[in-house]
Amino acid sequence: MKSEEDNTSKHADLHQQEIEELNVLMLRRREELEKLRELGFNPYPYEFERTDFSQDIISGFKDDAPPRHVSIAGRIMSIRRMGKASFCHVQDSKGKIQVYLKKDDLGAVYDAFRLLDIGDIVGVQGFVFRTKMGEISVHAREFVLLAKSLRPLPVVKEKVDEHGNKVIYDPFSDKELRYRQRYVDLIVNPQVRETFVKRAKIISTMRRFFDERGYLEVETPVLQPVYGGASARPFKTHHNALDIDLYLRIADELYLKRLIVGGFDGVYEISKDFRNEGMDRTHNPEFTMMELYVAYKDYKWMIELTERLIYEIAVAVNGSPKATLGGTEIDFTPPWRRLTLFDAIQEYTGKELRGKSEMELRSIAEEMHIEVEPSRGSGAIIDEIFGERVEPYLVQPTFIIDYPLEMSPLAKKHRSESGLVERFEGIVNGKEICNAFSELNDPLDQRARFEEQMRLRARGDEEAQVLDEDFLRALEYGMPPTAGLGIGIDRLTMLLTNNESIRDVILFPQMKPEK
């Protein structure tokens, strides 16, 4: 049996061999660059007039139509050189198209074509035709190098099998490399681009939905002297001129509520928030959140708005209220199922947690082999039980409503159920995608809730919320009844693009330092 040291040494040798091969290829490309310059070609010109795109050309082609002149630009993804004629495939933002190059048409430019590589960016002007093999192509009359690529791409090979299915060889599939070098990922895995086109559609549809209802998009501080609005650890920095510590926001809630106090009827913000927590397939320390606050409304009104919003987004993005995730079809058509938190826990665990003391809750968690830090209170224990034993099984869109007061220091007390607050979370495919309250607007109750949070902090709970005196002062001026909603854009994008990792829907996710 080989030792671990032998395997490590073998891996290091292979890695060194890859580096040496890469260095040879990069050196050759630099030599080609110099030869192009010696021949009088500028390998990095300033502009090119592009008027057409690959898929538009292909979809609009008619065999019986007069030849159409086009001007395309993109990256060479394959090259087939033959004597006095050659072919290459050029990839642009909409797809790929074949280009036919002929020495009689291009002269010295054709001779220089031998110095080009896969990855080079080119401009092509010519006419569209169909080859003898039946492929719609551009016959190049002009061919211009727009950017010489000095680093070889990890080329993905495609082949159509005897059944007409496309088979991919040597895919660029290493997850860490794909996230770290997203620019390469987008080039060689063009299907990834569609995820981010859909993400943009999600946000634009959300904006339109709110704008049509008269809600105002606003901006609030990213750097905050007191962080709040969620239970999380912040990132901390220092402002030299003011000589004070500041925090990257963990939520927008308290500033947006100040604007409701100030007289706005409805405000929303789509923002970057930051939480100094662990990373996994549904958590990134920098994430995108939408928060909405509407005056004179409550959580009953907000729950209907939320399911309508997400339904409209699903239809706008995928053309249907249904989406497939990991082989499971998710249907966002309203109404979604509603279930109280305690009823959900009882349904999935058989345990009744209503009215239980912290000691009793901790004992139940231990029976279930769920670890909860001693510093955490009753609300955190209930949350851990729900997260471990209930949430993963809520696949179809479900609203979990009416949470214990201890879990929601910013939500209004339930109007008819003692010990609860008016809150709901939207759960889809086992993960929370939204959170909403009838917002607490009693300044004395809010102060008492903050003080309880500070007691939890004193016990060692670093995620307990901090007391914000300026926010309390704002509430003392009077805030009308208000409904608030937060939606995680990243998780919603995961659902609507069939991705199971948050890193697949963030262009540049946080990574460990590169070795």
Side-chain angles (χ1 to χ4, degrees), residues 29 44 63 65 80 83 86 94 104 120 122 131 205 215 264 314 320 322 340 342 359 383 390 408 457 467 473 503 515:
R29 289 186 179 225
Y44 302 103
D63 288 293
R80 189 154 48 98
S86 296
K94 293 189 177 183
D104 291 346
D120 291 349
V122 297
T131 67
T205 304
Y215 308 140
F264 288 107
S320 166
K322 297 179 180 180
T340 71
F342 283 130
M359 186 176 296
D383 195 31
V390 181
S408 312
R457 289 185 70 82
L467 192 150
R473 178 168 56 193
R503 293 183 176 188
K515 292 181 180 179

Side-chain angles (χ1 to χ4, degrees), residues 410-440:
L410 294 164
K412 205 176 185 78
K413 289 178 181 176
H414 200 284
R415 66 194 74 185
S416 60
E417 295 283 344
S418 177
L420 301 182
V421 296
E422 296 194 346
R423 171 185 177 184
F424 70 80
E425 286 189 348
I427 312 292
V428 185
N429 200 49
K431 288 298 175 184
E432 172 205 342
I433 61 166
C434 64
N435 188 21
F437 309 149
S438 291
E439 300 295 337
L440 178 54

Side-chain angles (χ1 to χ4, degrees), residues 247-275:
Y247 303 90
L248 294 181
R249 65 180 167 204
I250 60 173
D252 307 353
E253 180 166 346
L254 303 189
Y255 281 94
L256 292 173
K257 286 183 182 177
R258 286 171 168 93
L259 297 179
I260 297 296
V261 170
F264 288 107
D265 289 329
V267 293
Y268 73 96
E269 183 170 15
I270 298 172
S271 64
K272 288 290 187 183
D273 290 345
F274 308 85
R275 296 181 185 177

Side-chain angles (χ1 to χ4, degrees), residues 33 42-45 74-75 116-117 119-123 144-150:
L33 177 70
N42 179 4
Y44 302 103
R75 192 181 296 272
L116 299 193
D117 291 287
D120 291 349
I121 299 172
V122 297
V144 184
L145 176 62
L146 301 177
K148 178 66 179 170
S149 171
L150 299 183

